[in-house]
Amino acid sequence: RLVLDATIRRGTSWSARQRWRPRDRSQYDGRMGMGLEERTKICKLIEAVIAADGVIALEEREFLLRVARRFEIPYELTEIGPIGDDGPLSDPGRASALLRQLSPDNQARVMALLVESAVTDGEVHPTERTLLMVAAAALDIDAAAVEERIARRLAHVRSGG
């Protein structure tokens, strides 16, 4: 659902959203048509956002594990510690370089996942916000649109949704 939310324009009816989904769920593998390397990069970016404030809350850890399962990232990569060999991407420059390596078709969806990961614990720490703004700049996404999305998603999370 997170991925769909990022790709559907505001005002699209629920029936239009359901028409977008394949009728046969076996056609949809949850990996957004990406290889393991690109899916691992996305998990590293999510990890960078949730670790940016120095504390990984239980909700954030569960979010990362859900995404990793959905992307079919091997269990040992998610349980050993930082995903991949280089560790988390705490440096905004490294994070933006990695974002630009992703396929253009998936960049907006990844941005939506990054925002979702930042708001999962009900607050967005200034360092998390900085990473999100750097990511938006790297992808030529308007900062005001990202701020609006953060506010909407925070309100949703805080309301218990």
Side-chain angles (χ1 to χ4, degrees):
R1 184 171 168 215
L2 301 174
V3 173
L4 292 176
D5 191 30
T7 58
I8 296 176
R9 280 183 266 225
R10 187 181 294 172
T12 303
S13 69
W14 177 249
S15 61
R17 291 180 195 186
Q18 290 204 306
R19 281 193 301 268
W20 183 84
R21 292 182 180 167
R23 298 279 181 211
D24 177 9
R25 293 297 287 169
S26 66
Q27 297 171 6
Y28 180 73
D29 64 5
R31 297 179 291 180
M32 298 190 315
M34 297 177 286
L36 178 62
E37 182 180 343
E38 191 159 68
R39 295 189 317 260
T40 303
K41 287 177 184 178
I42 293 170
C43 285
K44 287 177 75 171
L45 288 164
I46 291 170
E47 184 183 34
V49 171
I50 65 175
D53 61 0
V55 177
I56 298 178
L58 179 62
E59 300 91 350
E60 293 172 324
R61 173 114 176 108
E62 289 172 351
F63 179 82
L64 177 60
L65 289 174
R66 277 193 315 270
V67 172
R69 276 193 300 272
R70 182 177 179 182
F71 282 0
E72 298 177 6
I73 302 294
Y75 177 80
E76 55 276 1
L77 289 181
T78 59
E79 287 300 314
I80 291 176
I83 296 174
D85 299 330
D86 301 332
L89 300 167
S90 55
D91 174 40
R94 286 185 61 213
S96 65
L98 190 58
L99 268 168
R100 285 189 293 268
Q101 292 174 14
L102 298 174
S103 69
D105 294 342
N106 292 321
Q107 289 176 345
R109 294 184 224 181
V110 171
M111 189 67 209
L113 282 172
L114 295 179
V115 169
E116 196 65 31
S117 68
V119 303
T120 300
D121 62 351
E123 61 182 270
V124 178
H125 190 273
T127 55
E128 292 173 331
R129 189 176 301 275
T130 299
L131 271 175
L132 293 175
M133 292 301 119
V134 167
L139 301 177
D140 291 327
I141 297 174
D142 182 47
V146 174
E147 287 289 352
E148 180 184 322
R149 183 171 183 88
I150 291 170
R152 258 194 345 265
R153 296 306 301 151
L154 269 177
H156 181 73
V157 168
R158 289 177 179 161
S159 71

